[in-house]
C-alpha cells in the first residue's frame, strides 16, 4: 500500500515531517493546549477585531488579520511593516498570552531553535475561499529566529516552496493543532495557503485560524 493510500484509509500521518532543511511540520503539537489557545484568542479579538487589510498595491486581502504581542504586522497603502499599535484603535496590540509564547517556544525547540522568544504574533482568519499567495516573511529584523505557525479550525493546504519564487511548492495539509516551524536555511523560503475549502470544524466553525509567531525586532 502506498503511503498516501495508507494515510487516506487510516488517517495516520507521521507526527513529525521534514519539509526542508530547517523546516518541520509537527502534527497535533498544539492539541494539548487547544482550549487555552481558543480562549486566549477570543480575548484578543475582543480588543483588536479582525480586519481585511490593504496591500501597498491597493488590493484588499481575503484573509482577515489581527495581532498580539509587542509588534503587530500591518499593511496599507504605505507598505508592510511592524507597528506597536493597532492602527484601527491607536492602542497597543493586546499582550501575547503566555500560552501562545510557551507553545511557540516549545515548538521551535523541537526543531532545534532553542530560546525562541517571539515578540509578534500575526493572527490570520481564513473563511472558505480565502487564500494567501506565495510570499517570504522578510519584514523582521532578525532572521536567525524561526517562524512558528499554528493552525486551528478547518484544514488548509499549505504551500512550501524554496528560496526562489519560481521553486515549485510542495503541498502539506495543515489541520487543527498542527504546528509548522521554518528557520535557518529555510527561514526565507516562499510559502502560501491555497484557497480554503468549505467545511465545518467542531470547535471553530466555518473558518481556519493561523497564529504566526515571529521575532520582529
Ligand atoms: C502566513 O504565511 O502568514 C500564513 C500561513 C498560514 O496561514 O498557514
Ligand atoms: Fe508568511
Amino acid at each position: 500500500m502506498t503511503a498516501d493510500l495508507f494515510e487516506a484509509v487510516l488517517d495516520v500521518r507521521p507526527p513529525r515531517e521534514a519539509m526542508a532543511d530547517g523546516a518541520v511540520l509537527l502534527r497535533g503539537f498544539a492539541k494539548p493546549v487547544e482550549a487555552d489557545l481558543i480562549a486566549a484568542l477570543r480575548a484578543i479579538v475582543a480588543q483588536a477585531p479582525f480586519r481585511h487589510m490593504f496591500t501597498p498595491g491597493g488590493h484588499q486581502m481575503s484573509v482577515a488579520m489581527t495581532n498580539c504581542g509587542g509588534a503587530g504586522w500591518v499593511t496599507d497603502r504605505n507598505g508592510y511593516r511592524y507597528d506597536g499599535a493597532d492602527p484601527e484603535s491607536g492602542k497597543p496590540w493586546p499582550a501575547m498570552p503566555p500560552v501562545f509564547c510557551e507553545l511557540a517556544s516549545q515548538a521551535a525547540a523541537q526543531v532545534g531553535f532553542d530560546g525562541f522568544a517571539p515578540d509578534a504574533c500575526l493572527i490570520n482568519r481564513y473563511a472558505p475561499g480565502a487564500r494567501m499567495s506565495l510570499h517570504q516573511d522578510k519584514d523582521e529584523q532578525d532572521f536567525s529566529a524561526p517562524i512558528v505557525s499554528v493552525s486551528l479550525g478547518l484544514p488548509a493546504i499549505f504551500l512550501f516552496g524554496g528560496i526562489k519564487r519560481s521553486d515549485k511548492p510542495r503541498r502539506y495539509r495543515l489541520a487543527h493543532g498542527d504546528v509548522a516551524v521554518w528557520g535557518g536555511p529555510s527561514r526565507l523560503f516562499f510559502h502560501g495557503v491555497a484557497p480554503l475549502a468549505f467545511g465545518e470544524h467542531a470547535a471553530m466553525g466555518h473558518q481556519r485560524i493561523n497564529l504566526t509567531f515571529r521575532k520582529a525586532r
Side-chain angles (χ1 to χ4, degrees), residues 88-136:
E88 295 284 318
S89 66
K91 290 192 282 198
W93 295 104
M96 197 179 306
V99 63
F100 277 30
C101 235
E102 281 155 24
L103 174 65
S105 177
Q106 285 164 11
Q110 289 285 317
V111 183
F113 301 103
D114 289 337
F116 179 52
D119 58 1
C121 174
L122 172 64
I123 306 172
N124 294 311
R125 185 187 69 192
Y126 297 74
R131 60 189 286 273
M132 193 172 289
S133 53
L134 281 182
H135 66 278
Q136 294 169 295

Side-chain angles (χ1 to χ4, degrees), residues 13 28 30-31 34-35 37-38 41-42 126-128 151-156 173-178 196-209:
R13 298 177 303 145
K31 279 263 189 171
E34 65 176 311
L37 293 175
I38 293 169
L41 180 65
R42 292 221 166 92
Y126 297 74
S151 292
L152 296 171
L154 290 177
R173 183 175 184 271
L174 293 184
H176 182 73
D178 290 351
L196 195 78
F198 183 81
E200 179 161 10
H201 183 270
M204 303 295 291
H206 304 281
Q207 59 176 348
R208 168 178 186 257
I209 302 283

